[in-house]
Amino acid sequence: MSGRVRMVGCGLVSALGDSLESTWTAVIDGQCIWDHAPTVLGARPLIDLARRAASEALAQAQWCDLSDTALVFATSKGAILDWITPPPAAGYRTLDVESGREMGLATTAAHLAAELHLGGPYQTISAACASGLHALALAYHWIHWKVARRVLVVAGEASVHPLFVGSFKRLGVLAAAGEGCRPFDHRRGGFYMSEAAAAICLQAAQPGQDSNAPWIDRVAWGADATHLTGQDPRGRLLGYLLEQTAAGQPVQLVHAHGTGTILNDAVEWEALHKHLSGAAEPVQVYSHKAALGHSQGAAGLVAAVLSMRMHQTGQVPPNPLSSQSLTSPALILSTAPVRRRINNSLLIAAGFGGAAAVICLKSG
């Protein structure tokens, strides 16, 4: 499916900044985290992160009356830090009466919808580390299907906790403290877990609307049943999604999933080389995970927010630690900021259970 759905406002809270502007300044300057990075802003980490990102996006979009606005919220684990300690009563309940704690994936979306007085439908998407892009794709379809005229898309993750750090460590996908995350580098050793929230305001393109705002041109999402936590070593699903979204058009930028892990990066790089070769100019490849860490369910929407800024500014941040890059004549992984006009970019996200998505942004 193709069509113009504009991204008219964005918000971001990350390990390197409490707003889109502060985060953007940090990544352009080549700043990085060097260990797992919680970003706790208040007593209810996920809700507080999501609220701040959503408020920034709404202010940028200048949406005042939200009575016709829908919400799609993305998360891998929900407000897990709010309810990781079991309630005193036996058995699972969605509400712990004694403490007033609400439990379950859907609670953050319900809180946001109520606090912001959103009058449209709301839904929670949980597709592991592809959650953010799956939510963006669903919102795009909602506008095309006329489920909603405007959609606020929010993704958040607040789960830097010994339980999850230990789980990822057992899988062998985490970088050692002080080593750094090096996507697509021969010396890569994994990623750092981080917390973040991102938000995007979407609406159908309006006559006379600012042409500087990129639009979602194509979306493709799917599932890879090869392995519970791994992926098809031949990258067939990713290749199919790339073909569907690139659709033969020249691509200037790929905001890759780029986790800095041994297996993922090799498969992703090969798929990009195979399906984007033949362009007049090499494609710029960027992964924000070296700078901001891997925020799991929020990562895809973080990529979308940063890519929107790349379209608007004509700047691509550096991959500061990937100085011994995997090689391909079709791809460039720069360790310095790059100035380049971007008309078409691709966003990639993948997650446990085989969830994956690729989205094409367009401007100009």
Side-chain angles (χ1 to χ4, degrees):
M1 180 186 292
S2 64
R4 293 195 178 187
V5 175
R6 291 278 187 186
M7 305 164 67
V8 296
C10 290
L12 180 60
V13 183
S14 74
L16 293 181
D18 61 1
S19 67
L20 173 54
E21 287 304 321
S22 59
T23 299
W24 176 253
T25 298
V27 297
I28 281 289
D29 287 347
Q31 297 181 33
C32 307
I33 64 172
W34 294 94
D35 204 348
H36 308 299
T39 314
V40 178
L41 295 178
R44 307 194 70 178
L46 182 60
I47 293 173
D48 294 330
L49 283 168
R51 181 192 298 114
R52 180 171 293 202
S55 297
E56 184 180 16
L58 290 168
Q60 190 179 111
Q62 299 183 334
W63 289 0
C64 298
D65 179 7
L66 303 179
S67 60
D68 64 347
T69 301
L71 169 68
V72 182
F73 181 74
T75 183
S76 167
K77 304 174 192 67
I80 187 69
L81 297 185
D82 291 352
W83 41 267
I84 196 167
T85 302
Y92 174 83
R93 294 182 295 179
T94 57
L95 177 65
D96 173 6
V97 177
E98 292 185 16
S99 68
R101 294 184 305 173
E102 297 175 8
M103 302 175 68
L105 284 172
T107 57
T108 302
H111 272 280
L112 280 179
E115 288 183 18
L116 298 174
H117 305 289
L118 304 180
Y122 62 87
Q123 183 168 333
T124 299
I125 294 290
S126 182
C129 298
S131 299
L133 282 197
H134 275 224
L136 192 60
L138 179 62
Y140 168 88
H141 287 302
W142 273 11
I143 291 174
H144 274 283
W145 297 334
K146 303 190 185 305
V147 173
R149 188 173 69 88
R150 304 189 304 192
V151 184
L152 171 64
V153 188
V154 183
E157 199 70 40
S159 60
V160 177
H161 181 280
L163 173 63
F164 305 114
V165 173
S167 298
F168 280 114
K169 186 175 181 179
R170 286 174 63 92
L171 288 171
V173 296
L174 298 183
E179 178 182 89
C181 175
R182 305 172 186 273
F184 305 114
D185 190 274
H186 285 290
R187 301 165 299 159
R188 64 191 184 276
F191 58 82
Y192 297 124
M193 293 182 65
S194 66
E195 296 177 354
I200 294 176
C201 294
L202 290 184
Q203 68 181 36
Q206 305 295 319
Q209 192 174 46
D210 180 10
S211 62
N212 194 35
W215 65 87
I216 298 175
D217 190 56
R218 285 178 169 81
V219 305
W221 43 351
D224 175 359
T226 302
H227 191 273
L228 182 61
T229 59
Q231 61 180 319
D232 174 13
R234 289 185 284 175
R236 287 171 292 182
L237 173 64
L238 178 55
Y240 172 78
L241 299 179
L242 289 170
E243 288 179 354
Q244 294 300 305
T245 47
Q249 304 175 89
V251 173
Q252 292 79 43
L253 168 70
V254 171
H255 198 140
H257 188 55
T259 56
T261 55
I262 299 297
L263 297 178
N264 174 86
D265 284 18
V267 174
E268 187 174 6
W269 187 265
E270 180 59 29
L272 293 175
H273 168 77
K274 178 178 179 180
H275 294 279
L276 298 180
S277 293
E281 295 182 80
V283 178
Q284 209 77 38
V285 178
Y286 175 70
S287 170
H288 70 264
K289 293 181 178 68
L292 304 179
H294 191 353
S295 53
Q296 291 99 68
L301 206 66
V302 171
V305 169
L306 291 175
S307 294
M308 177 180 178
R309 181 52 59 92
M310 294 180 221
H311 275 259
Q312 292 173 323
T313 64
Q315 289 181 285
V316 181
N319 298 278
L321 303 179
S322 298
S323 59
Q324 296 181 28
S325 167
L326 302 178
T327 56
S328 166
L331 309 172
I332 301 176
L333 194 80
S334 176
T335 57
V338 172
R339 287 198 170 272
R340 183 171 182 177
R341 180 175 178 81
I342 300 169
N343 296 317
N344 293 290
S345 68
L346 299 179
L347 314 174
I348 301 174
F352 287 172
V358 180
I359 290 180
C360 177
L361 303 184
K362 198 175 185 71
S363 60

